[in-house]
Amino acid sequence: MPVAERATDTRRIILDTAQRIMARKGYSAVGINEVLAEAGVPKGSFYHYFASKDAFGEAMLKSYFAGYLTDMDGVLAPSGRSAAERLMAYWQQWRETQSIEECQGKCLAVKLGAEVADLSESMRLALKEGTSAIVDRIEHTIADGLEDGSLSVDSEAREVAQALYDMWLGASVMAKIHRSPTPLDTATAVTRKLLHL
C-alpha cells in the first residue's frame, strides 16, 4: 500500500476511534493517549496527523458530520415516498439511534455540543457548520412536503426546521438525563403537530 494511503487510513482509524470513545465519555475526559492506544497507533505519530488536540477535535467533528449527513441524505432522498414520510423516517431513525446507554457514535453533537463550544472556537465553528447543514436538509424536505402537499406548517420552512432540530437535540439530552425515551416520544408527537400530520 502506498505511504499516502496508509497515512489516510491511519488518520481515519484515529478519527473513528475517537468518535466512538468520545460519544461515551465526552471530549475533556479522553486523552490523546487513550485514543491512540485504542486505535493501535504509536503515541509519537499523533502530531504527524494533527497539529494539536484542537485541530484533532475539529477534524473529528467534521468527519462525524460528513458521515452523518451522508446517512441523512440517504434517509431523506426522494424514493417514491412523500416528503412527510421521509422526514418522519429521519426522526424515527434519530429516536432509534439515541439509545439511553450507548449511542455508538451516532450522537456526537448531543454529547459534545455544550462541552466543546466553550473550549475551542474551531470546534464550535465545526459544530455550527455541521448542525446548520442538518437544518438545511430538514428545511429542504419541509419545502418538498409543502410542494407535494404531504405536510403543512404555520411558519417559514426554515423557522420550523430550526425549531424541530433544536427540540430534538434538547429531547436527546433530556432522554439521557431521565434515562427514558419519553422526551423523544414527546418530540415525535410535537413534530407531527408542527407538520400537521
Side-chain angles (χ1 to χ4, degrees), residues 5-194:
E5 280 185 43
R6 277 199 308 271
T8 302
D9 288 347
T10 301
R11 187 175 191 276
R12 163 74 26 230
I13 290 166
I14 294 169
L15 292 173
D16 290 348
T17 301
Q19 283 182 32
R20 281 193 310 275
I21 295 171
M22 290 183 188
R24 288 192 319 269
K25 294 183 171 184
Y27 182 77
S28 299
V30 177
I32 296 303
N33 288 340
E34 180 181 356
V35 172
L36 295 175
E38 180 78 20
V41 175
K43 290 181 183 179
S45 65
F46 175 79
Y47 292 105
H48 173 73
Y49 300 104
F50 307 100
S52 64
K53 189 177 179 189
D54 225 32
F56 161 71
E58 179 185 359
M60 181 192 61
L61 286 169
K62 286 184 174 184
S63 172
Y64 164 74
F65 280 113
Y68 185 96
L69 293 168
T70 297
D71 290 346
M72 186 178 186
D73 288 342
V75 173
L76 295 179
S79 59
R81 297 178 299 162
S82 71
E85 289 170 324
R86 297 189 323 261
L87 193 53
M88 291 312 294
Y90 169 69
W91 299 123
Q92 181 60 35
Q93 183 181 58
W94 180 314
R95 188 192 183 288
E96 290 168 3
T97 58
Q98 292 296 316
S99 166
I100 304 308
E101 282 81 31
E102 179 59 65
C103 60
Q104 300 171 352
K106 298 291 186 189
C107 52
L108 213 55
V110 173
K111 185 71 172 183
L112 301 186
E115 178 186 1
V116 302
D118 294 331
L119 293 177
S120 162
E121 182 65 4
S122 65
M123 290 176 70
R124 183 190 72 77
L125 291 173
L127 279 161
K128 181 181 175 186
E129 181 182 315
T131 57
S132 293
I134 292 170
V135 175
D136 289 344
R137 284 158 170 79
I138 296 167
E139 176 188 8
H140 292 135
T141 309
I142 290 171
D144 288 349
L146 295 172
E147 199 171 295
D148 73 17
S150 63
L151 59 82
S152 65
V153 292
D154 296 327
S155 302
E156 295 296 318
R158 182 66 182 196
E159 289 176 9
V160 175
Q162 188 68 61
L164 286 171
Y165 183 73
D166 293 351
M167 176 179 65
W168 277 86
L169 204 62
S172 297
V173 172
M174 294 307 291
K176 291 181 186 317
I177 290 170
H178 290 276
R179 296 203 184 282
S180 164
T182 301
L184 297 168
D185 294 337
T186 301
T188 301
V190 173
T191 298
R192 294 188 75 79
K193 287 180 184 173
L194 287 172

